[in-house]
Amino acid sequence: TQVTLSRDMRELALVKTPEGYRQLSEEKIGRELADVANEYLLDIRVAQNLVVLRTSPGNANSLAVAVDRADLEDVTGTIAGDDTVLVITPDIATAGNFRRRMLELMR
């Protein structure tokens, strides 16, 4: 099922690239988040302690995996759909900090 596939992709640290799926290595995780964000992230919105990341269709899971693998203190967890990632943060201030960090990665 899709749920099983998404979970397995996270556990294997697979991300979708233009060349197909590939596995993230530990030393490349920070750079990978910037690369994946620059490639797929289209919009960032904050609602209280939640951050909604909009991606191009079919790429939300790749971005969610990159966020999870980056092991950011700001992030409590993520949920990915087809073109949307919901990032859960502990509080409103942290959500704003996470949004700023993601915008900086895209520069």
Side-chain angles (χ1 to χ4, degrees):
T1 65
Q2 181 63 43
V3 173
T4 302
L5 180 61
S6 295
R7 182 179 57 238
D8 291 347
M9 288 179 64
R10 281 181 194 241
E11 288 175 6
L12 294 170
L14 295 176
V15 293
K16 186 176 181 182
T17 68
E19 296 81 34
Y21 289 94
R22 65 185 169 117
Q23 191 169 28
L24 293 176
S25 63
E26 290 298 324
E27 62 272 2
K28 294 182 179 179
I29 287 173
R31 195 182 89 235
E32 292 293 337
L33 177 55
D35 292 346
V36 172
N38 278 307
E39 182 76 24
Y40 301 127
L41 187 58
L42 303 176
D43 188 35
I44 306 170
R45 296 186 185 212
V46 175
Q48 299 288 331
N49 69 313
L50 307 174
V51 182
V52 177
L53 307 176
R54 297 297 309 259
T55 70
S56 49
N59 294 306
N61 192 61
S62 294
L63 181 56
V65 167
V67 169
D68 289 341
R69 297 292 291 184
D71 198 28
L72 304 173
E73 290 181 11
D74 296 349
V75 177
T76 303
T78 62
I79 300 172
D82 182 58
D83 64 355
T84 305
V85 178
L86 176 63
V87 179
I88 302 154
T89 66
D91 53 52
I92 295 169
T94 305
N97 291 338
F98 176 78
R99 180 181 182 275
R100 280 188 290 283
R101 180 183 289 184
M102 292 302 291
L103 289 172
E104 289 173 3
L105 287 176
M106 296 176 61
R107 292 184 185 161

